[in-house]
Amino acid sequence: MATTFKRAVSHAQQPFVNEPLTDFSKEENKRAQAEALEQVKSELGRTYPLIIGGKQIESEHTFASVNPSQPNQIIGHFARATEEQTKEAITTAATTFETWKRVPAEERANYLFAAADIMRQRRFYLAAWMIYEVGKSWSEADGDMAEAIDFLEFYAREILRLAEEQPIVRMEGEDNQLVYIPLGVCAVIPPWNFPCAIMAGMTCAALVAGNTVVLKPASTAPTIAAQFMHILQEVGLPAGVVNFLTGSGSVIGDTLVDDARVRFIAFTGSRDVGLRIYERAAKRQQGQRWLKRSILEMGGKDAVVVDETADLDAAATGIVSSAFGFQGQKCSAGSRAIIVEQVYDQVLQKVTEKSRQLTVGDVTQPDVYMGPVIDENAMKKVLEYIDIGKGEGRLVTGGGHHGPGYFIEPTIFADVNPQARIAQEEIFGPVLAVMKAKDFDDALRIANDTEYGLTGALYSRDQQHIERAKEEFHVGNLYFNRKCTGALVGVHPFGGFNMSGTDSKAGGRDYLLLFIQAKTISAKK
Ligand code: NAP
Ligand code: MG
């Protein structure tokens, strides 16, 4: 215990710094990623059990995770957890909480520091799993890894800060103290689109704060979660602190969310599933002693606004990477571009030209910018929106798709009415709606005219416009003269307003407060 304590202290004394991104123009990095892809290729198609209380539980009913670039390639087979197994996982988490909650914060933090070390060593290998499993390009997969490592390093330091003596007003004749204690069993339900970063981030926030976890990964990205689970076992995290439960959210989700022994839920995903969880979690179940907490990070319909003073080339570059990075499958994706009349034609032309240069294809190849969308359902949904868009705007580029993977061209609709469906609904694919605004006022009004409020960007050199946007552009993450994606842990605490969720600000100082509760202790002298 003494040595582990020292380790946490020495780690934590180094200030948090973001993990650098890999430079793939360097031959050695290119080679390392290519070799990792070969390595992972030889490991595809294995079967992964549930892990409950450290025990591997096989199931006769399984489902497959496939490569969206080549849907006949199976990444892994996973157990379909039953309702009974879901309850068993919760029972184990509840029992383990009784011991885990007494483990000192330093020791809990140490597991995260140790896991981060392994993830750093295995960075190309883990990225390779995401390249195969969800169709991330090399740099997108690398970014996901960097963010995952950042979350571990950041939350480990955060819990050490929160374990210190907390500032309260002193009073004569009494000793007063405020301490943070864990909540209990956390149901962690991540999405597939940041399958390492968000999955590991929510799981580690919960466990480092002293809670136990039932982790139900997204069904299209369970392999990277299984790899992470393996790392937690390697660093010696006690059995039962994190329980690995695969299966369809629509089948076991309600059982998990409704259970009276679940104390809180950390969810990131779509608006509709988030709303469902919010509603169900609010209902007190028989025997439930607490108000269930829900931390819900949901969708977006994010906008990049360009005014007449902007650097138009920079704006076009920002619009394109915000809209089409990872095929537009980011909650922060800039799926709307709102451009003032004066520069509309110029910016539209630049955006169109740049989009036409993007490569689309199998992301196991190094220089492909866009891979496939996640699965057949996503492909159908996006193509439906492209059809809708044809009736709502002017198709200026893209619209096509090709197989056998789920490849869709970067697609741009111009002259879109701000009330059009493609301007209001989250498509979650490579479809950009471009809108013309009369002036900056009009642009800001259009930008805010959405039920979401996650990210937004303004390209402008007009200080008054920038000041107004600071006050009026109603989004959780606002950017000036840069793209609206790519939030960094610690630097850009992340989370949105309105239907984008509970604004939990992942990767910020407020985040862990959602995973704990405060106890005030007063003693008369
Ligand atoms: P999703 O369909 O809502 O799924 C998210 C998770 O919820 C998955 O693990 C899913 O399991 C599970 N689930 C499905 N139905 C459930 C139910 N009835 N009860 C409990 N859990 C259930 O979202 P997604 O397609 O994975 O991710 C894309 C969405 O996430 C987009 O809307 C995007 O904007 C949002 N997102 C938001 C943020 C943010 O920080 N605000 C970040 C990333 C993504 P299955 O996979 O088994 O269905
Ligand atoms: Mg897949």
Side-chain angles (χ1 to χ4, degrees):
M1 181 81 86
T3 52
T4 54
F5 178 80
K6 263 190 229 139
R7 188 152 185 280
V9 170
S10 72
H11 245 89
Q13 275 166 352
Q14 294 159 21
F16 171 81
V17 283
N18 293 104
E19 196 61 25
L21 296 175
T22 303
D23 178 357
F24 285 111
S25 69
K26 289 202 173 123
E27 252 336 288
E28 75 239 41
N29 291 334
K30 235 182 197 169
R31 201 173 330 111
Q33 189 61 74
E35 280 168 12
L37 282 160
E38 275 308 303
Q39 165 77 32
V40 166
K41 198 173 183 181
S42 71
E43 298 176 18
L44 297 179
R46 292 180 177 170
T47 300
Y48 299 82
L50 307 176
I51 303 174
I52 299 176
K55 280 205 275 305
Q56 304 203 346
I57 299 167
E58 315 276 347
S59 167
E60 43 184 311
H61 303 289
T62 60
F63 65 96
S65 162
V66 304
N67 178 354
S69 292
Q70 289 182 48
N72 60 0
Q73 185 175 53
I74 290 178
I75 307 305
H77 298 277
F78 287 84
R80 258 182 216 286
T82 60
E83 199 174 318
E84 212 170 86
Q85 287 165 329
T86 304
K87 289 190 179 300
E88 196 185 322
I90 298 167
T91 306
T92 302
T95 314
T96 312
F97 179 62
E98 295 309 314
T99 48
W100 181 245
K101 69 182 180 188
R102 297 182 201 284
V103 170
E106 291 77 13
E107 204 177 320
R108 288 186 250 129
N110 263 334
Y111 292 112
L112 266 54
F113 289 130
D117 281 346
I118 295 184
M119 287 163 86
R120 238 177 247 115
Q121 288 155 25
R122 251 173 242 170
R123 181 156 169 178
F124 292 111
Y125 173 79
L126 295 168
W129 280 106
M130 288 190 273
I131 294 169
Y132 283 114
E133 186 163 48
V134 299
K136 290 213 167 195
S137 68
W138 289 22
S139 53
E140 291 287 346
D142 181 66
D144 199 315
M145 281 314 303
E147 188 176 0
I149 295 166
D150 281 352
F151 277 137
L152 269 62
E153 292 279 347
F154 189 82
Y155 296 145
R157 287 175 175 78
E158 279 296 289
I159 202 63
L160 295 175
R161 176 176 71 81
L162 292 166
E164 285 168 7
E165 190 181 328
Q166 297 300 308
I168 43 171
V169 173
R170 303 245 160 257
M171 197 181 84
E172 276 301 310
E174 247 182 44
D175 275 334
N176 293 304
Q177 193 189 7
L178 180 140
V179 294
Y180 289 113
I181 63 171
L183 289 163
V185 176
C186 181
V188 174
I189 309 177
W192 54 266
N193 72 328
F194 281 85
C196 192
I198 296 180
M199 176 275 308
M202 295 197 299
T203 302
C204 286
L207 79 87
V208 84
N211 306 288
T212 52
V213 173
V214 177
L215 166 61
K216 194 220 84 63
S219 295
T220 40
T223 321
I224 182 69
Q227 293 292 334
F228 176 70
M229 192 62 202
H230 186 63
I231 292 172
L232 293 181
Q233 292 180 308
E234 270 178 80
V235 300
L237 187 75
V241 174
V242 178
N243 301 280
F244 183 69
L245 189 81
T246 46
S248 166
S250 59
V251 177
I252 55 171
D254 288 351
T255 307
L256 184 58
V257 167
D258 292 351
D259 196 288
R261 295 163 302 166
V262 168
R263 178 66 180 80
F264 67 125
I265 298 140
F267 165 85
T268 306
S270 62
R271 179 198 60 186
D272 292 351
V273 175
L275 282 171
R276 182 186 181 91
I277 292 175
Y278 189 54
E279 202 175 316
R280 300 188 78 98
K283 186 171 176 352
R284 183 188 185 188
Q285 303 291 335
Q286 195 164 21
Q288 185 179 315
R289 293 188 166 198
W290 44 64
L291 299 173
K292 219 173 260 183
R293 199 180 275 186
S294 26
I295 304 160
L296 307 168
E297 293 309 305
M298 292 140 63
K301 191 70 190 177
D302 311 307
V304 179
V305 175
V306 184
D307 78 6
E308 66 285 1
T309 68
D311 173 339
L312 303 187
D313 284 308
T317 303
I319 288 171
V320 171
S321 53
S322 302
F324 300 125
F326 191 34
Q327 300 78 268
Q329 302 173 115
K330 298 182 185 179
C331 52
S332 56
S335 54
R336 298 183 295 155
I338 303 163
I339 305 164
V340 298
E341 212 166 50
Q342 237 175 302
V343 293
Y344 181 83
D345 290 336
Q346 284 175 71
V347 176
L348 178 60
Q349 196 191 341
K350 286 178 195 289
V351 168
T352 307
E353 277 163 17
K354 284 180 196 289
S355 302
R356 287 189 178 135
Q357 284 159 20
L358 302 179
T359 47
V360 184
D362 188 327
V363 279
T364 52
Q365 299 309 309
D367 297 318
V368 174
Y369 183 79
M370 277 173 61
V373 297
I374 187 69
D375 62 11
E376 199 175 345
N377 284 339
M379 172 109 151
K380 277 195 193 133
K381 179 182 158 195
V382 176
L383 293 178
E384 260 171 48
Y385 273 110
I386 290 176
D387 266 346
I388 294 168
K390 285 175 185 163
E392 291 183 329
R394 177 165 61 90
L395 178 69
V396 288
T397 188
H401 62 101
H402 67 269
Y406 308 117
F407 300 107
I408 303 178
E409 289 170 4
T411 301
I412 300 176
F413 289 101
D415 311 341
V416 177
N417 183 314
Q419 287 309 312
R421 285 185 64 191
I422 60 163
Q424 290 289 330
E425 297 171 18
E426 187 185 46
I427 299 171
F428 223 57
V431 182
L432 171 67
V434 184
M435 286 164 265
K436 190 187 283 184
K438 286 199 275 300
D439 50 26
F440 178 68
D441 273 21
D442 193 33
L444 206 49
R445 187 190 55 75
I446 296 169
N448 283 332
D449 189 11
T450 157
E451 64 176 6
Y452 295 107
L454 191 45
T455 75
L458 168 64
Y459 281 84
S460 174
R461 291 183 178 115
D462 181 327
Q463 200 51 40
Q464 274 179 342
H465 287 178
I466 289 175
E467 291 310 319
R468 278 201 45 209
K470 280 185 195 169
E471 279 200 16
E472 293 172 38
F473 201 158
H474 196 58
V475 292
N477 284 69
L478 177 62
Y479 301 101
F480 292 112
N481 299 312
R482 53 151 288 177
K483 62 180 181 171
C484 65
T485 55
L488 282 177
V489 172
V491 181
H492 314 112
F494 189 81
F497 303 152
N498 297 344
M499 280 301 144
S500 292
T502 47
D503 190 39
S504 67
K505 288 295 183 274
R509 282 168 69 96
D510 303 335
Y511 192 66
L512 281 196
L513 294 176
L514 301 166
F515 291 75
I516 49 184
Q517 54 198 338
K519 184 171 183 176
T520 301
I521 302 167
S522 306
K524 192 145 187 72
K525 281 197 204 161

